[in-house]
Amino acid sequence: MSYNLPKLFRPIVLLNTLGKLIEKVISDRIQFHVVTNNFIHHSQLGSLKFKSTMDVGIALIHFICIGWVNNMSTSTLAFDISQFSPSLNHCLLSLILKKTGLDLLIVQFFSSYLVNMQYVWNYFSSHFVDINVRVGQDSALSPILSALYLAPFLHILEKRLKNLNLQISLLSFIDDSLLITQSKSFKSSNTCLFCSYNVALNLLIKFGFQVEHLKTEVFHFSKLRGVFNPPPLDLTPLDGPSLSPKDFWYYLGFIFDRKLFFYNYIDFYANKVILTIKYMKILGNSTRGLNPCQKYLLYRCCAIPIALYSFPL
């Protein structure tokens, strides 16, 4: 299908398309550079190629199983950064890019990226326009710049937790971060999570971030039998809520229970697949519906990915 756009809009569409292609190329080159030089923290599993929520889930299951082998329960504290992409500071981002060892011209380019804009077409050059829209989520550069911005935060946080002798493991998927600790006592786990959360909050403020306390969640994985009633985690001294552990935990599309049976996950996604298949007929012709080839294609593209999501877990 072709669209006859007015001549006035054709250069704009072309500029948008070329701009996205150039951003994609720059993003790939920057990621290759920083990953090759081990600049990205190993716990950052988002905003990178060949990384997905599945990696976070598998890593978490790995921690839990290791704890159970050593007769320890695993406790997690998940928190979310508020307005992550719009909060990225360009001055700090420029310093981080310089620290990665990128060429000075590239650092200077990013110093004005999304702050000053100029259109150049053949011999025409427009004046610079101050836009200062931060790093937009729709930009192809947003994922890698987000990962770079969080890299120093994760490195510093890990070092401070180690200096305080807090046995904490970190997992991060863009702005969703996870503190993981293992212990034979839920009380000691809560103490460790409270202290670690306090350190993370103070460090995030220095990086220009705020945490959405309402989205903060605590969950315990344990094989203990009988009544399971761990003490709540009180974060009110940190202006946070008092968190009581729930029976099920929804995280990055996964549904966890404390014993990793995944019964609720199976029920939820099985019903979702059944509803998807039922509503497929809406896409068909009003007289004869979908033909078998179309049903097969829709089933492979829509139903199978839903049914097999998080299957490796």
Side-chain angles (χ1 to χ4, degrees), residues 45 51-58 61 173 176 249-256 262 264-270 272-273 299-313:
L45 300 177
K51 299 292 184 181
S52 66
T53 55
M54 199 67 62
D55 297 286
V56 180
I58 293 174
I61 296 295
F173 189 82
D176 292 311
W249 179 37
Y250 297 83
Y251 183 67
L252 296 180
F254 309 123
I255 304 176
F256 293 104
F262 289 102
N264 284 73
Y265 163 80
I266 295 171
D267 291 341
F268 177 81
Y269 280 98
K272 192 172 183 179
V273 169
Y299 178 76
R300 292 295 302 271
C301 296
C302 302
I304 294 295
I306 296 174
L308 297 183
Y309 180 70
S310 80
F311 180 74
L313 270 64

Side-chain angles (χ1 to χ4, degrees), residues 106-287:
I106 300 176
V107 178
Q108 291 175 351
F109 164 77
F110 277 101
S111 297
S112 60
Y113 174 70
L114 291 180
V115 177
N116 297 311
M117 179 178 287
Q118 181 187 33
Y119 286 103
V120 178
W121 189 270
N122 292 335
Y123 299 103
F124 168 77
S125 298
S126 69
H127 63 280
F128 282 95
V129 180
D130 186 10
I131 54 175
N132 196 20
V133 294
R134 303 290 178 173
V135 179
Q137 292 182 344
D138 59 339
S139 172
L141 285 165
S142 177
I144 184 61
L145 292 181
S146 301
L148 283 173
Y149 199 92
L150 281 175
F153 163 75
L154 293 172
H155 282 291
I156 296 172
L157 178 60
E158 184 182 47
K159 186 175 181 179
R160 290 188 179 182
L161 294 176
K162 188 177 294 184
N163 291 338
L164 293 173
N165 199 26
L166 295 172
Q167 302 299 320
I168 288 287
S169 299
L170 300 173
L171 284 179
S172 177
F173 189 82
I174 312 177
D175 58 340
D176 292 311
S177 300
L178 201 61
L179 301 174
I180 306 170
T181 186
Q182 293 177 334
S183 175
K184 294 183 179 181
S185 169
F186 293 118
K187 186 177 180 180
S188 60
S189 295
N190 283 352
T191 303
C192 187
L193 290 175
F194 178 88
C195 297
S196 304
Y197 189 63
N198 185 26
V199 175
L201 282 181
N202 294 329
L203 188 58
L204 283 171
I205 292 173
K206 294 181 179 179
F207 274 77
F209 292 127
Q210 294 291 332
V211 173
E212 294 188 48
H213 292 292
L214 294 177
K215 293 185 178 181
T216 304
E217 295 178 296
V218 66
F219 196 80
H220 302 285
F221 295 91
S222 174
K223 281 190 172 183
L224 294 176
R225 298 181 180 180
V227 179
F228 182 73
N229 189 24
L233 176 59
D234 187 14
L235 298 178
T236 52
L238 305 178
D239 297 328
S242 179
L243 302 175
S244 298
K246 302 177 182 179
D247 295 329
F248 305 100
W249 179 37
Y250 297 83
Y251 183 67
L252 296 180
F254 309 123
I255 304 176
F256 293 104
D257 57 87
R258 66 182 181 92
K259 292 187 177 182
L260 296 181
F261 288 148
F262 289 102
Y263 292 149
N264 284 73
Y265 163 80
I266 295 171
D267 291 341
F268 177 81
Y269 280 98
N271 290 326
K272 192 172 183 179
V273 169
I274 292 171
L275 288 175
T276 301
I277 294 174
K278 285 182 177 180
Y279 285 113
M280 280 181 184
K281 60 183 179 181
I282 299 176
L283 302 174
N285 189 290
S286 58
T287 57

